[in-house]
Amino acid sequence: MSTNTADIGLIGLAVMGQNLALNIADHGYTISVYNRDPEKTRKFTAHCKENEPSAAKLKGFEDLATFVLSIKRPRKIVLLVKAGSATDVTINALIPFLEEGDIIIDGGNALWTDTIRREKELKAKGLEFIGSGVSGGETGARFGPSLMPSGTRKAWSSLEPIWRDIAAKVDPRTGKPIEGAEPGKPVQGGFSCAEYIGPDGAGHYVKMVHNGIEYIDMQLICEAYWLMKNLLGMRADEIGKVFEEWNKGELSSFLIEITGDILQQKDPSGDGFLVDKIMDAAGQKGTGQWTAANALELGSPANAIAAAVFARALSTVKDERVEASTILKGPTIKLEADREKLIEAIRNALYCSKICAYAQGFQLMDKAQVAYNWKLNFGEIAQIWRGGCIIRARFLQKITDAYALDSRLKNLMLDPYFTEALDEGQESWREVVSLAVRNGIPAQAFCAALSYYDGYRSATLPANLLQAQRDYFGAHTYERTDQPRGQFFHTDWPEPDRPQLKV
């Protein structure tokens, strides 16, 4: 590949980087690739020559300067390296070889505040920076991810044709993902799951919230599985068939689909099912924690998302839990229930909790756009999550429809479709939560979602007493229900006969 002939460059040849590079090449773009370990570059390019039809569109470089010179101006260089300091090191190594107007695209799971900082720093040097969420895992990167880019409109206009081409596609008539992509045969047509999100860190922020929702979505599914296993004594494969059936209806999603597959996978190393041999200690990479922490920072009530993060944290103290199980006692499971009716109740509880989980995610993004001076299009965000990403689901079309009906919708639960769904499912939901509590089966996410629903629908809450306590010990003041909002008062509580002070 001679100087200035590549349409785009990519740095970082771990699995995600390799797959995204092949996706770009499959769509007819010439791409230069570089990795700090030249052996990895050599192995990847050799593999492509032997196995990939689009290998001629891909060229590996072992020298950073030569790599940069191979790309057409304005250069577009995608980074798929570890988030954090590794990204900064890579950017700093690139800068001496770049020219004014060149564009760096960070496709890693960066903290959005880092993206804001990096864009400012690079703008001062005459360079453009795009922070782009990339969701879909290895398969998504290879055959069509969900892409959430942010930066200047000028930078996006340069990257847009490539990003739209390589993204997952959704049928604009049905809202359903277009499936069946094969290597070397990119899917044409359909709505592209790549859309400009906003300035500076908006793209990485939306990807972070996507991951926070992913945490609660997965936890809810796990709790549904655990309830069927413990309340009904069902085998893994029996539960897997239930998930298969659920995937045909309103719960249809990638996560429900793979859960059905996982639960029916036999143990290749012995008898029984593989899921029963997997250690119950879950890992996490931090994006769920970031979501929960930011919700706290902005005062957004994302308690169900936080519950999912804490559930993972609790799972990691396996040895402590094993010891505690011999000391701390709970109730003996006593259940006389119609199996099919209880399974249907769990399905309803899962769907209602899922509505609350997504409501919390979108409520958080609504607060964030005010705090960070963004203007987010929630209908479009739901649409680009419809294909390619981990939380892709039929359900997301209902969210797009909700914002099409009311672009200023304050909470998804207030949309007529979701209001009706919650009303129809809440009796089952409450019964399932009650059964879990009475029988000592942990269901953190189900319980947190129901508490959120009940709290949000309550015209009054016990926070009046809480605010009185704050005023008593800290003179934090309070508002009165018989006075206009925004007027604050303080009482000298040890001497209540003293007149209230208007503050």
Side-chain angles (χ1 to χ4, degrees), residues 162-174:
I162 299 176
W163 240 225
R164 289 199 187 280
D165 280 351
I166 69 169
K169 304 298 187 296
V170 171
D171 188 323
R173 298 165 300 173
T174 64

Side-chain angles (χ1 to χ4, degrees), residues 33 67 109 131 134 138 157 181-182 220 232 237 281 287 327 339 351 368 384 403 438 448 461:
V33 298
F67 161 78
N109 269 334
V134 179
E138 300 171 17
S157 66
E182 297 178 12
L220 289 168
L232 294 170
D237 61 329
T287 47
I327 302 169
R339 172 167 158 160
Y351 193 57
I384 62 176
Y403 285 108
R438 288 203 304 266
L461 291 169

Side-chain angles (χ1 to χ4, degrees), residues 279-300:
M279 180 68 68
D280 55 318
Q284 53 184 311
K285 292 187 175 180
T287 47
Q289 295 176 30
W290 295 347
T291 308
N294 184 246
L296 287 169
E297 182 181 350
L298 296 183
S300 188

Side-chain angles (χ1 to χ4, degrees), residues 15 34 213-214 371 492:
V15 175
Y34 171 84
I213 293 172
E214 180 184 311
D492 187 351

Side-chain angles (χ1 to χ4, degrees), residues 22-23 26-27 53-54 142-143 179-188:
L22 288 169
N23 185 358
D26 282 350
H27 283 82
S54 57
R142 182 67 183 86
F143 301 120
E179 306 288 355
E182 297 178 12
K185 297 180 180 179
V187 172
Q188 300 299 323

